Amino acid sequence: MEKVVCCGYYGKGNGGDEALLASLLQMLPRSVEPLVLSGNPAETESRYQVASYNRMNAMEVLKVLRGADAFIWGGGSLIQDVTSSISPFYYGGLMGLAQQMGLKTIAWSQGIGPLRRPITRKLAQRCFSNCTTISVRDRASAQLLSDWQIPFTLAPDPVWALDSKPVPGLWDLPAPRVALTLRPHKQLTPERLSVLTQALVSFQKATRAFILLLPFQPSQDLAIAQLFHRAIPNHSQILTLEDPRQLKGVFRGVEMVIGMRFHSLIMAATEECRCFALSYDPKVSQLMEELDFPGWELSQLPLDANLISKTWLECYANGDALSTGKIEFLIERAQIHQDVLHSAFL
């Protein structure tokens, strides 16, 4: 069996990145053995039944690379310099090292950028140009690689095709259910949070919906979930799910999601849930545009709670989920990322 080092933002408690890892493991050929670099190796080994190693232990990572046949950047916005200026150097450094060691290198389901610094753009261009094969998940990444004249495959995010699992006890909660997936961001100011809280209280009263507060990354999102729960304590529940397949499965029992988290919108849409987006990042804005999701850029969020509540009510009462045909198409297209992996390990 070929040994493959899987590198991403794994084991850090982020539901979207865990969903990418679960999708990667689901799509890898059975003829390869995954070796996962993780921020929490014990948790990763337990959850996915794979060998896992400390991503920040340089000697351990070097030893794993020396014994491997291939290296995979395992999906998502790894190569960007907005949330962290260090991140592209960590991932780029590992990719460059793997390439120098002669490993087969795969950039898989990448969402490249934003890259605002010339040094990180140059680093990214060099790493991608030396990859064995590349797949990307969005048009902006595809355009960037085209500008650099680097071959690639474009397909929807692989989480569209991730298997989901039922959530025990979900159907015992009051119905109908509406989910909220917010995260901290500099544009989500205290004033905007207050307005959104007022809007949610009005929306809940009008719909009698039970609000599921889903912190996709509890270390970041839980405080916001608690804020909303205090506003409607008898009509909401914070639901923390560590298994990304259950995190996707929860949307089977949800009528509508109001979401900032990119993968929460994908998971919800796959389960035929209506989506209302609050965008803090170009990847969310692009998803809104491609799938015609209603929503606002956070920077343009109205400061009128009544207007927000009425807009949510309109989406709840008259909005449409993606059609079955559209969902099936996106799932089928997302499987192209699996074809890329299988072709790489022929």
Side-chain angles (χ1 to χ4, degrees), residues 167-168 170 173 212-216 225 237-241 247 250:
V167 178
L170 174 63
L173 297 175
L212 288 178
L213 302 162
L214 302 174
F216 260 57
Q237 180 169 320
I238 298 172
L239 197 58
T240 302
L241 298 168
L247 198 52
V250 74

Side-chain angles (χ1 to χ4, degrees), residues 144-205:
L144 187 58
L145 291 178
S146 293
D147 293 343
W148 290 340
Q149 299 183 327
I150 298 173
F152 63 90
T153 299
L154 171 64
D157 191 287
V159 174
W160 284 101
L162 176 65
D163 294 337
S164 60
K165 284 185 177 180
V167 178
L170 174 63
W171 299 99
D172 297 330
L173 297 175
R177 306 176 195 95
V178 171
L180 198 69
T181 61
L182 301 189
R183 54 153 292 164
H185 191 269
K186 62 184 179 182
Q187 292 179 344
L188 190 59
T189 60
E191 183 182 15
R192 287 181 174 133
L193 260 178
S194 176
V195 170
L196 286 171
T197 303
Q198 295 171 49
L200 188 67
V201 170
S202 298
F203 173 82
Q204 192 282 322
K205 286 181 180 177

Side-chain angles (χ1 to χ4, degrees), residues 154-315:
L154 171 64
D157 191 287
V159 174
W160 284 101
L162 176 65
D163 294 337
S164 60
K165 284 185 177 180
V167 178
L170 174 63
W171 299 99
D172 297 330
L173 297 175
R177 306 176 195 95
V178 171
L180 198 69
T181 61
L182 301 189
R183 54 153 292 164
H185 191 269
K186 62 184 179 182
Q187 292 179 344
L188 190 59
T189 60
E191 183 182 15
R192 287 181 174 133
L193 260 178
S194 176
V195 170
L196 286 171
T197 303
Q198 295 171 49
L200 188 67
V201 170
S202 298
F203 173 82
Q204 192 282 322
K205 286 181 180 177
T207 59
R208 304 291 183 187
F210 190 77
I211 309 298
L212 288 178
L213 302 162
L214 302 174
F216 260 57
Q217 188 169 5
S219 63
Q220 292 190 16
D221 304 356
L222 185 57
I224 294 177
Q226 290 170 336
L227 174 69
F228 283 97
H229 181 56
R230 286 194 294 270
I232 41 174
N234 299 320
H235 305 288
S236 67
Q237 180 169 320
I238 298 172
L239 197 58
T240 302
L241 298 168
E242 296 181 351
D243 186 333
R245 293 157 293 196
Q246 285 191 334
L247 198 52
K248 188 176 186 182
V250 74
F251 292 103
R252 294 181 189 179
V254 170
E255 298 295 323
M256 172 178 159
V257 64
I258 300 166
M260 284 177 65
R261 287 287 185 183
F262 176 75
H263 282 107
S264 74
L265 295 166
I266 289 177
M267 291 176 177
T270 314
E271 301 296 336
E272 301 185 38
C273 179
R274 282 158 284 178
C275 296
F276 190 96
L278 299 172
S279 178
Y280 70 98
D281 187 279
K283 65 186 176 185
V284 180
S285 301
Q286 187 167 316
L287 188 69
M288 292 168 64
E289 180 185 348
E290 290 177 350
L291 300 179
D292 200 24
F293 286 162
W296 286 296
E297 299 284 335
L298 264 187
S299 59
Q300 299 172 359
L301 182 75
L303 295 179
D304 182 342
N306 288 329
L307 174 58
I308 294 174
S309 180
K310 287 178 181 178
T311 306
W312 287 347
L313 284 168
E314 174 63 23
C315 180

